[in-house]
Amino acid sequence: MRLDYASIKDESTFILTDFNCTPALDLLKDKGLYKILWSRGQAVSFRVDGSLIELEKDQIIFCTPINVLEIDKDTEGIVSLVFNREFYCIQDHDQEVSCNGFLFFGSSVPQILTLKGKDKDSFCSMFDSFEEEFKNKDQIQGEMLRTLLKSFLIKSRRLIKQELPDPGLPNNQLDIIRRFNVLVEKHFREKHQVADYADLLFKSPKTLSNLFHKYSDKSPLATINERIVVEAKRLLLYSDKTSEEIAYELGYKEAGHFSKFFKKHAGSNPSEFKSKKLASS
């Protein structure tokens, strides 16, 4: 199943699919798409950036255009919203939904939401509305789909906030964490220390550490390190660059220092990691 909306005027694209057909799977080759996947029918497994992701039934994962997804053709139980920046730019519309650095680009691992009870019914109704709107081929179809997507993102953000260690975290404090995540996404190749980001946010490293304790079980430094490691893994698996080239791209002047860092966080050095992954694929 693949339902498409496309505008020639602004080159925007919005798609509802279950990835059970070749045209839908071809979307995974497009590097410019956001992908939101819901394991609506059953538990599913697939790979994101080379790592196995196992979604329990009624979990939703939020993937950015930089995430590389690998889904088998016979995978059943997924329903997905797929869109490009032209249809809805997360960064440009951040004031509307406040999900940049939270739902998307919020950490090295894509955000996962677990639906329960009445929330599941609410999301089922939203997806029914998406399907119904694809039948309306008129001039306002695109705007209606965008409105539905904004509602979906706002609802998702609210539910994920409820799952935080401190659900009552004030919005101004959550905004600092969001800004930190956005800055890490922008600067992780050259800025590797918490103090670098504390300076950009006009906060102390201790303030950031205290906020992150309320937000998750990861420290600010762990967030930075994981982002570097994920990018290294992605480059090792999906590019022809050597370990030395990757080290330089990620801000390491000495390939040996990068190799030690990678082994500490990934369990093996870059060449061993790549060999093992390619052998098991």
Side-chain angles (χ1 to χ4, degrees):
M1 179 264 290
R2 172 173 168 167
L3 303 175
D4 285 72
Y5 164 82
S7 170
I8 298 176
K9 182 178 180 181
D10 59 12
E11 299 183 336
S12 62
T13 295
F14 184 72
I15 299 162
L16 177 64
T17 181
D18 57 9
F19 290 114
N20 273 165
C21 60
T22 299
L25 287 173
D26 287 342
L27 294 170
L28 302 179
K29 302 175 185 177
D30 191 324
K31 298 180 179 179
L33 299 174
Y34 290 90
K35 295 166 281 288
I36 304 171
L37 287 74
W38 177 11
S39 54
R40 184 174 182 178
Q42 62 188 44
V44 297
S45 61
F46 49 88
R47 292 190 176 277
V48 178
D49 299 326
S51 297
L52 183 65
I53 297 291
E54 297 182 350
L55 287 188
E56 298 176 4
K57 188 176 184 300
D58 291 320
Q59 287 190 320
I60 300 175
I61 188 169
F62 299 81
C63 297
T64 70
I66 64 175
N67 293 127
V68 180
L69 273 68
E70 301 172 73
I71 302 175
D72 293 337
K73 186 176 182 180
D74 57 353
T75 300
E76 296 183 356
I78 294 175
V79 61
S80 179
L81 301 175
V82 181
F83 59 96
N84 61 6
R85 291 184 178 90
E86 288 73 20
F87 181 81
Y88 195 79
C89 181
I90 297 299
Q91 289 88 347
D92 290 350
H93 294 90
D94 189 53
Q95 290 186 342
E96 294 179 340
V97 296
S98 299
C99 64
N100 189 30
F102 192 51
L103 291 182
F104 300 99
F105 302 111
S107 68
S108 58
V109 179
Q111 185 68 264
I112 294 177
L113 166 65
T114 300
L115 298 179
K116 302 174 183 177
K118 63 180 182 180
D119 295 323
K120 175 185 173 182
D121 296 333
S122 175
F123 275 67
C124 284
S125 296
M126 281 193 282
F127 269 77
D128 289 342
S129 297
F130 279 119
E131 288 193 53
E132 185 65 28
E133 190 55 43
F134 273 102
K135 300 175 184 178
N136 297 318
K137 304 295 183 180
D138 56 26
Q139 293 182 343
I140 61 172
Q141 182 190 35
E143 192 54 42
M144 284 296 295
L145 288 171
R146 263 185 286 270
T147 299
L148 290 171
L149 177 61
K150 285 189 284 187
S151 177
F152 176 89
L153 294 174
I154 291 170
K155 178 71 172 178
S156 297
R157 181 189 182 280
R158 288 173 175 170
L159 291 179
I160 288 181
K161 185 180 178 183
Q162 293 174 13
E163 297 179 355
L164 296 178
D166 182 359
L169 192 66
N171 285 332
N172 65 321
Q173 294 184 8
L174 182 60
D175 188 59
I176 294 173
I177 294 171
R178 291 200 313 116
R179 288 160 57 199
F180 173 87
N181 289 331
V182 171
L183 287 170
V184 170
E185 184 61 36
K186 184 177 180 180
H187 298 293
F188 71 89
R189 292 176 179 83
E190 68 272 5
K191 298 183 185 297
H192 298 171
Q193 302 301 319
V194 176
D196 297 329
Y197 299 94
D199 288 344
L200 292 174
L201 292 166
F202 302 103
K203 303 292 180 182
S204 70
K206 185 176 180 179
T207 296
L208 291 181
S209 295
N210 290 338
L211 282 177
F212 265 78
H213 182 69
K214 299 177 182 179
Y215 176 68
S216 72
D217 58 356
K218 295 179 185 177
S219 67
L221 182 59
T223 300
I224 298 167
N225 289 341
E226 285 188 7
R227 183 63 188 90
I228 297 169
V229 171
V230 165
E231 190 67 20
K233 289 180 177 179
R234 186 183 295 128
L235 292 170
L236 286 166
L237 295 177
Y238 304 111
S239 79
D240 295 326
K241 295 182 178 181
T242 66
S243 296
E244 289 77 11
E245 290 172 330
I246 293 172
Y248 180 77
E249 182 171 333
L250 295 179
Y252 290 85
K253 296 180 180 179
E254 297 291 337
H257 292 165
F258 167 69
S259 182
K260 290 179 181 178
F261 167 84
F262 187 89
K263 185 173 183 178
K264 177 181 178 181
H265 295 279
S268 59
N269 64 43
S271 59
E272 290 172 345
F273 169 82
K274 184 171 184 177
S275 297
K276 290 177 182 178
K277 285 292 184 178
L278 293 179
S280 62
S281 63

